[in-house]
Amino acid sequence: MMARSGYNALFINAAPTGKSFKLTVATLGHWTPVGVMEEEYLFWDNLAFMKQISIAQ
């Protein structure tokens, strides 16, 4: 899955930069026997995210 958005909110005490970012996201889920999602876990590369919004080198 690919996520695309803009950085317009406070994150780890870093002021919004207004920069856009694009991340590849992996999602894992657990469904009940009747097909209801019970749990979901999302994973992405935080360093890649922070580099794109210019709060890391």
Side-chain angles (χ1 to χ4, degrees):
M1 172 179 12
M2 182 69 67
R4 193 178 298 206
S5 189
Y7 177 53
N8 297 311
L10 187 64
F11 174 71
I12 60 168
N13 295 323
T17 62
K19 295 192 174 204
S20 62
F21 61 90
K22 182 171 136 180
L23 297 171
T24 300
V25 178
T27 181
L28 298 173
H30 179 262
W31 286 264
T32 66
V34 295
V36 175
M37 183 180 268
E38 201 170 57
E39 299 176 61
E40 181 179 29
Y41 301 93
L42 297 170
F43 302 92
W44 60 88
D45 183 344
N46 276 322
L47 182 58
F49 165 66
M50 290 188 287
K51 284 180 178 180
Q52 289 182 56
I53 62 171
S54 300
I55 63 171
Q57 294 183 356

